[in-house]
Amino acid sequence: MQKPNVPPLAITPYWASVQDDLLRIVDLMPAGKMNWTPSDELWNSRGILIHVSDARDSWMAGDVKDGDPYPNIWTTARTRDDLKRELVRTFDRVQRFLANQAQLDKRYTPAEPAYPPRDGHWIAFHLLEHDIHHRTELMQRLALMGVTHGIDL
């Protein structure tokens, strides 16, 4: 079957607004509540924020192999400034990926054999969806804490 000739989608501006919301959420999280979770079975808010950055690093270093190392930030991202620094650093990393047409068009074979090969467009949309999912999760946490976030979806 021949692939249809589909124009690329410009997701970068929308993704930037999601990134801005994540940074705003870090600032809005009440002091002393970064380790709060509504249930012991769920990650705390700090863990979710680290996970967002870690997932970006993991895809870029592991599957894309963009040339930057995979830094394990689970032990180094502690403060608000640390979390924001990692969100900015990894967003910049993903932006370089989105700007590289050859990387987007390339087919990647995951290290885990249970997963099928995927192209860079799939990776990009997967990471965008991942960021949106966790932004929403964190917005819900703020609501449970009684924090008005003012983020317009």
Side-chain angles (χ1 to χ4, degrees):
M1 179 192 296
Q2 187 177 20
K3 280 183 152 180
N5 187 7
V6 179
L9 295 175
I11 63 172
T12 306
Y14 178 70
W15 202 337
S17 73
V18 174
Q19 168 74 0
D20 290 344
D21 292 345
L22 288 167
L23 293 170
R24 179 169 167 71
I25 287 168
V26 173
D27 288 334
L28 289 172
M29 194 65 60
K33 291 291 188 177
M34 201 61 84
N35 293 326
W36 179 80
T37 180
S39 172
D40 290 340
E41 296 83 35
L42 301 173
W43 281 353
N44 62 38
S45 299
R46 179 188 325 278
I48 294 168
L49 289 160
I50 292 170
H51 170 66
V52 168
S53 294
D54 181 70
R56 294 170 178 177
D57 274 332
S58 181
W59 277 99
M60 294 300 104
D63 288 75
V64 174
K65 296 180 183 13
D66 66 354
D68 287 351
Y70 169 77
N72 184 350
I73 63 168
W74 287 95
T75 58
T76 60
R78 292 286 164 253
T79 67
R80 287 178 198 273
D81 288 342
D82 294 342
L83 295 167
K84 289 171 72 172
R85 179 192 68 234
E86 295 303 327
L87 286 168
V88 168
R89 180 187 60 75
T90 58
F91 185 70
D92 289 346
R93 186 176 190 174
V94 169
Q95 295 300 296
R96 289 190 303 273
F97 170 67
L98 293 175
N100 187 322
Q101 193 65 46
Q103 286 181 330
L104 286 171
D105 291 341
K106 183 178 175 183
R107 203 99 174 118
Y108 299 94
T109 302
E112 176 60 48
Y115 297 112
R118 297 175 172 127
D119 66 18
H121 298 276
W122 185 94
I123 293 170
F125 277 95
H126 173 72
L127 282 172
L128 172 59
E129 183 276 332
H130 186 258
D131 282 10
I132 292 168
H133 161 75
H134 288 300
R135 173 190 62 177
T136 305
E137 184 179 24
L138 291 162
M139 289 167 55
Q140 182 183 43
R141 300 248 174 132
L142 290 173
L144 289 170
M145 291 180 222
V147 176
T148 304
H149 51 72
I151 296 172
D152 182 24
L153 300 178

